[in-house]
Amino acid sequence: MALEVLEALDSARTQWYHLTAIVIAGMGFFTDAYDLFCISTVSKLLGRLYYFDPSTGKPGKLPLGVNNMVTGVALVGTLSGQLVFGWLGDKLGRKKVYGFTLILMVACAICSGLSFGSTAKSVMGTLCFFRFWLGFGIGGDYPLSATIMSEYANKRTRGAFIAAVFAMQGVGIIFAGLVSMILSAIFKSYFPAPSFTSNNVLSTQPQSDFLWRLVLMIGAIPAMLTYYWRMKMPETGRYTAIIEGNAKQAAADMARVLDIEIQAEQDKLAEFKASNNYTLWSNEFFQRHGRHLIGTMSCWFLLDIAFYSQNLTQKDIFPAMGLIASDKDMNAIEEVFQTSRAMFVVALLGTFPGYWFTVFLIERLGRYKIQLMGFFMMSFFMFVIGVKYDYLKNENHNLFALLYGLTFFFANFGPNSTTFVLPAELFPTRVRSTCHALSAAAGKAGAMVGVFGIQSYTLNATATDTKKIRQAMLILAVTNLLGFFSSFLVTETKGRSLEEISGEDGRESELTPTPNNRVPIPGSHQGSRTTETM
């Protein structure tokens, strides 16, 4: 029982409109990544500016609680935004709330840079307030972008298209380092200053207060450039047909963007809707999709503990790797420059390639194999770093950098990409956005564990006492191993229509277990009525 408009979407050749949708949705993720990770390049500068105590003989440093809030409050907002906008995406439509997320991101990125006040408490307070709401807008982009791209794409290239949208996160991380590096280089040339050791007061240039504000505010620009094109996108044909029940409008919209003739089937649509009229909290949903929802949530939760711990603690790991000098040997702006440069290099050589390996290979290898491989390799490399940390730190910086970069490569050529793709494919249209939001929110809960928990180890570590960093890396290695085993709760989705995967078309398969068919081994095709190849 397949609708013509859905079959047309599944079999449509790749067209310019598909590429346009990737760019429009991907620019949102570019902005998301920039806004979330640019704070890592300037957080040490905030400590020098607002928390310098001459009696310590050390550069100013954000107190543990303040540091956790500054770097982690956006993640709290992201989790909240994912749940709210994911639910609204199913209730009101993907397009209706898609533009509002960008408006919120633009306004809050600008206000984060303004951060009104003259005292440390007032500046940090307003910064955290606006970064929470910035994260709230970012959160909406996760379920909406993934759902829109999955519902537009054909079944042959759907995984690659969704992964390409998410790969823009890698570009955003690169630009976070690049923009911070360029701006700090400009400030450094105009406002030279001695190192902290030479003069602990003059080493922090007053002009550097403008530097961190500019870095944060630039995140508003790509969001502004994308807004018009998001508003021009029509609602997805699947939402219009299956949720709104308007087969005629769905056929007209998709015929226009795909440049093909599509027959409206209103009578057939009523039968289609009636067979899939169950809610997220129903027993039928649990029987059909409960295992997969637990799998996508647990895998994303465990992955983000490691992924965000690594990204947000780079400023502490980089000195140990020999990528930046000691903070006492630099002035404030020089520290921003060196931190940004190291972040840029690691992102360019480790983070960025992993995303695009996934894009190009996901339809050949499949989501399932890539996720298992990524979790296993991350666990292995983090274990080696944890066990050999002192040797790598003191005697082999090049090997340290290589191992650290490889963990990022296999995170992105692995579960960081597939945990985004799978929730957009496994669940029915009427709850697809909500289920993706629940999975993504579980991921951000893991990110908060990394920020508020794991980061405490590295923040307090000293040059001579590396025990906490070693423990943190070993904890992350175990976390990734748990993610490896949790991956057996999900299964392969490549080459299948969304309706076949979710069981909406009435076909029983391994992906939608019912009381009449047992659940086969994940990744196998035992019990499937059809087996499609690329």
Side-chain angles (χ1 to χ4, degrees):
M1 184 180 62
L3 298 173
E4 184 174 336
V5 65
L6 305 184
E7 291 185 334
L9 287 167
D10 284 330
S11 60
R13 60 182 175 83
T14 301
Q15 302 177 43
W16 179 250
Y17 189 79
H18 289 113
L19 303 180
T20 303
I22 291 173
V23 173
I24 294 171
M27 283 303 294
F29 269 89
F30 172 92
T31 306
D32 298 348
Y34 180 94
D35 287 333
L36 285 177
F37 296 115
C38 67
I39 194 67
S40 295
T41 66
V42 297
S43 60
K44 284 197 170 185
L45 175 60
L46 294 174
R48 288 195 185 228
L49 282 167
Y50 295 103
Y51 290 91
F52 172 57
D53 182 358
S55 65
T56 64
K58 298 178 180 179
K61 190 174 185 179
L62 292 176
L64 178 59
V66 175
N67 181 80
N68 285 346
M69 286 302 295
V70 167
T71 58
V73 71
L75 300 177
V76 180
T78 302
L79 186 154
S80 305
Q82 286 165 338
L83 295 175
V84 171
F85 286 113
W87 177 75
L88 289 175
D90 284 332
K91 293 298 180 183
L92 303 180
R94 288 62 160 127
K95 179 187 174 180
K96 287 183 180 178
V97 293
Y98 204 28
F100 182 73
T101 62
L102 283 184
I103 295 174
L104 193 58
M105 288 159 61
V106 169
C108 292
I110 294 173
C111 290
S112 293
L114 295 176
S115 292
F116 317 101
S118 57
T119 65
K121 185 176 181 179
S122 60
V123 172
M124 295 302 113
T126 53
L127 173 61
C128 289
F129 174 81
F130 287 117
R131 281 191 64 79
F132 171 85
W133 290 108
L134 173 66
F136 194 82
I138 289 172
D141 248 27
Y142 278 75
L144 295 174
S145 292
T147 300
I148 286 171
M149 197 67 251
S150 71
E151 293 181 353
Y152 269 129
N154 62 59
K155 63 184 179 180
R156 297 182 306 278
T157 59
R158 184 181 60 240
F161 285 178
I162 302 172
V165 169
F166 193 63
M168 291 301 291
Q169 185 181 80
V171 182
I173 296 173
I174 287 175
F175 267 78
L178 181 62
V179 169
S180 298
M181 183 170 60
I182 292 173
L183 288 176
S184 58
I186 294 171
F187 272 71
K188 186 174 64 169
S189 65
Y190 279 98
F191 309 109
S195 67
F196 182 85
T197 302
S198 301
N199 191 313
N200 58 17
V201 174
L202 296 181
S203 66
T204 302
Q205 303 94 319
Q207 297 84 359
S208 62
D209 192 54
F210 294 102
L211 173 59
W212 71 267
R213 297 175 187 274
L214 282 174
V215 169
L216 298 187
M217 293 172 73
I218 284 175
I221 296 175
M224 285 190 285
L225 296 176
T226 310
Y227 179 77
Y228 171 77
W229 297 107
R230 280 201 178 183
M231 294 300 94
K232 295 282 289 182
M233 294 178 72
E235 182 58 84
T236 70
R238 284 181 163 90
Y239 185 89
T240 303
I242 298 174
I243 308 303
E244 294 184 342
N246 192 338
K248 183 177 181 181
Q249 185 64 49
D253 288 343
M254 294 303 100
R256 184 171 69 254
V257 300
L258 298 177
D259 194 26
I260 56 176
E261 291 291 331
I262 300 176
Q263 183 71 33
E265 301 172 300
Q266 194 67 40
D267 293 339
K268 196 173 183 180
L269 175 62
E271 181 184 354
F272 189 97
K273 288 188 65 177
S275 64
N276 293 286
N277 192 25
Y278 56 89
T279 65
L280 178 66
W281 307 112
S282 66
N283 186 56
E284 184 171 359
F285 175 87
F286 179 78
Q287 289 184 340
R288 287 172 175 253
H289 309 289
R291 176 171 64 96
H292 296 141
L293 184 58
I294 294 171
T296 56
M297 290 179 68
S298 60
C299 288
W300 208 333
F301 172 79
L302 293 164
L303 176 276
D304 272 9
I305 293 176
F307 186 76
Y308 279 85
S309 293
Q310 279 188 290
N311 269 300
L312 294 174
T313 59
Q314 282 181 343
K315 63 186 184 300
D316 304 302
I317 296 289
F318 287 156
M321 294 168 60
L323 293 179
I324 66 175
S326 168
D327 55 2
K328 290 185 177 182
D329 297 330
M330 298 182 286
N331 61 50
I333 294 178
E334 176 67 23
E335 185 172 36
V336 175
F337 175 79
Q338 291 199 23
T339 302
S340 304
R341 182 181 60 188
M343 177 177 173
F344 172 78
V345 170
V346 171
L348 183 65
L349 300 180
T351 303
F352 180 76
Y355 283 105
W356 293 98
F357 265 69
T358 300
V359 172
F360 292 121
L361 295 176
I362 193 169
E363 297 298 356
R364 294 183 181 181
L365 300 179
R367 294 78 160 136
Y368 186 69
K369 291 180 181 178
I370 290 176
Q371 181 159 310
L372 288 173
M373 175 191 65
F375 266 130
F376 180 81
M377 297 305 293
M378 287 175 68
S379 182
F380 173 75
F381 289 123
M382 286 183 173
F383 178 78
V384 173
I385 292 173
V387 171
K388 293 293 185 179
Y389 186 83
D390 290 324
Y391 164 75
L392 295 169
K393 175 181 180 292
N394 298 318
E395 300 183 37
N396 202 329
H397 290 167
N398 291 334
L399 181 57
F400 197 166
L402 175 63
L403 292 173
Y404 193 69
L406 285 171
T407 61
F408 277 107
F409 175 81
F410 282 104
N412 298 306
F413 182 37
N416 193 42
S417 296
T418 55
T419 53
F420 180 80
V421 174
L422 283 167
E425 298 180 314
L426 283 168
F427 304 105
T429 305
R430 66 176 58 255
V431 292
R432 182 170 292 126
S433 179
T434 302
C435 288
H436 195 283
L438 289 169
S439 303
K444 286 301 169 284
M448 285 187 281
V449 171
V451 172
F452 299 125
I454 302 298
Q455 189 169 215
S456 299
Y457 283 94
T458 60
L459 191 67
N460 293 325
T462 65
T464 56
D465 179 17
T466 61
K467 179 180 178 181
K468 291 184 177 181
I469 295 181
R470 286 188 284 111
Q471 287 178 339
M473 297 307 296
L474 292 175
I475 289 171
L476 296 180
V478 173
T479 300
N480 287 316
L481 194 60
L482 293 175
F484 175 87
F485 289 111
S486 295
S487 298
F488 288 97
L489 292 169
V490 298
T491 190
E492 189 53 71
T493 57
K494 72 171 184 175
R496 299 170 182 267
S497 73
L498 292 176
E499 287 67 44
E500 180 185 353
I501 294 168
S502 65
E504 289 173 280
D505 62 1
R507 283 185 283 183
E508 295 180 2
S509 77
E510 69 194 61
L511 302 180
T512 54
T514 69
N516 296 323
N517 70 321
R518 60 187 179 88
V519 180
I521 298 172
S524 73
H525 292 285
Q526 179 184 356
S528 177
R529 294 176 61 180
T530 61
T531 301
E532 298 187 34
T533 58
M534 292 298 296

